[in-house]
Amino acid sequence: MNADAPLLVIVDGANVVGSVPDGWWRDRRGAAERLRDRLAADGLPGLPGGAEIVLVVEGAARGVAPVPGVRIETAPGSGDDRIVELVGQAGGRRALVVTADRELRRRVTELGAEVLGPRAVRP
């Protein structure tokens, strides 16, 4: 584990946005932008500052722009596959994935990532 590198937080945008039935399906990109803005403003409550936050978007949410404090990764296909790739590329760095997707949780924990559910970033 690279103790000097900041925590890498990877947020499964589709899963987190879809965790609350607030009409997100009418404007998926807008919902992803609201999540991005919340992450930029609040980070992950309870975690130390200095984490690198990556929001993975896919499908109709593509085109979301990055903002200071939140990097955007646009999945060319499956968002889950892109998240697994990012964890695999972490190079020994501590990684935390925010998702409720059971299969994705299994895949990333096998690579050494920690996992939190969507409530970690949703009010």
Side-chain angles (χ1 to χ4, degrees):
M1 211 47 71
N2 185 348
D4 295 331
L7 173 66
L8 175 62
V9 177
I10 304 168
V11 179
D12 180 353
N15 187 269
V16 172
V17 164
S19 69
V20 176
D22 61 1
W24 59 264
W25 52 88
R26 290 187 294 269
D27 181 10
R28 292 172 195 242
R29 184 173 169 181
E33 289 170 338
R34 288 187 297 280
L35 174 58
R36 174 207 59 200
D37 294 346
R38 186 175 324 112
L39 290 167
D42 302 334
L44 262 73
L47 290 180
E52 178 186 1
I53 299 176
V54 179
L55 175 62
V56 176
V57 296
E58 62 185 291
R62 287 186 181 106
V64 171
V67 296
V70 180
R71 185 175 104 210
I72 303 295
E73 284 285 334
T74 301
S78 162
D80 291 0
D81 289 345
R82 184 64 188 130
I83 291 167
V84 171
E85 289 171 4
L86 290 169
V87 170
Q89 294 167 358
R93 182 176 173 192
R94 184 175 166 219
L96 172 67
V97 175
V98 180
T99 187
D101 183 300
R102 284 187 217 163
E103 177 61 15
L104 178 57
R105 291 168 78 101
R106 182 194 64 76
R107 291 172 68 191
V108 299
T109 55
E110 286 179 355
L111 294 173
E114 300 167 52
V115 180
L116 288 176
R119 286 188 178 167
V121 297
R122 297 288 313 221

